Amino acid sequence: MAVIHRTTVKPTKLELLTAWLPTRPWYAGSPAPELTKAGGFRLDDPNGEVGIEFMIVNDASGPHPATYLVPLTYRAAPLGGTDHALVGTMEHGVLGPRWAYDGCHDPVFVAQSAALIDGRAEPQAQSVSDTPDREITRSHTAPAPVPTAFTTARDTARATELTAGDGTLLRLHRLLTPAPGDGAPLPPTAAGHVAGPWHQPDGSRARGVFAVLHTGARD
């Protein structure tokens, strides 16, 4: 179980993301993001080594406010071969130096995201220890288990696509779109999903799809 420490982190996560987000192909704001926390949730690492967070941020810097999904992992040492995925380093008041990575390139994040869709991992509250987040929903309709290893991660204009050796694709929506009403419509080829709520820049509450699993023909 991940323990949430009430302590300082320097630089803050938002400060790290302010420098990192403009380097992403799916970022649509100005070169100087104006970020606020909008929501998110966590997953536990079964080995208790890696922090896993689905972080959601609002950005008011562009011509239109935007909301981004930023999966992050936090490690006590660098993850070999993933310098391209490093968001930045920070000093945690309890845990010491931490390396923050784009979770889409971290095998622990990928494996636990697969477990979440499969129903083998339980979403946890973002800021409270040992508290399930009941507002996060998931589904899995394919007969085969979700692969726990994806060989490639490719950024598009709105998403990051993880592809497994058998062709399974997990698409994480980076630029979030509120679903109409309280629903979360899925494409017809979806074999699984993760959805949840966040707070929009105007303070209103929204809900939408964070990730979609495809195992066959894709839209």
Side-chain angles (χ1 to χ4, degrees), residues 109-176:
F109 169 85
V110 173
Q112 288 309 105
S113 295
L116 172 62
I117 293 173
D118 258 343
R120 295 177 288 109
E122 186 174 42
Q124 299 292 315
Q126 187 175 32
S127 303
V128 184
S129 299
D130 195 23
T131 302
D133 190 334
R134 305 298 185 191
E135 294 191 293
I136 303 302
T137 59
R138 41 72 55 192
S139 70
H140 182 226
T141 59
V146 182
T148 57
F150 287 75
T151 55
T152 61
R154 182 179 71 91
D155 286 325
T156 71
R158 296 183 66 90
T160 299
E161 297 181 343
L162 309 178
T163 305
D166 66 355
T168 298
L169 183 143
L170 179 60
R171 180 181 290 128
L172 283 92
H173 296 177
R174 298 296 205 149
L175 192 57
L176 295 180

Side-chain angles (χ1 to χ4, degrees), residues 19-85:
W20 182 77
L21 278 176
T23 69
R24 302 300 93 192
W26 38 263
Y27 177 69
S30 80
E34 299 173 16
L35 303 180
T36 55
K37 182 178 174 181
F41 65 99
R42 290 177 177 264
L43 295 174
D44 284 339
D45 171 13
N47 295 321
E49 297 290 336
V50 180
I52 306 170
E53 182 175 14
F54 283 72
M55 189 172 184
I56 302 173
V57 296
N58 288 324
D59 177 28
S61 69
H64 305 286
T67 303
Y68 297 95
L69 174 67
V70 188
L72 296 169
T73 58
Y74 309 105
R75 289 175 168 268
L79 177 62
T82 57
D83 288 351
H84 63 287

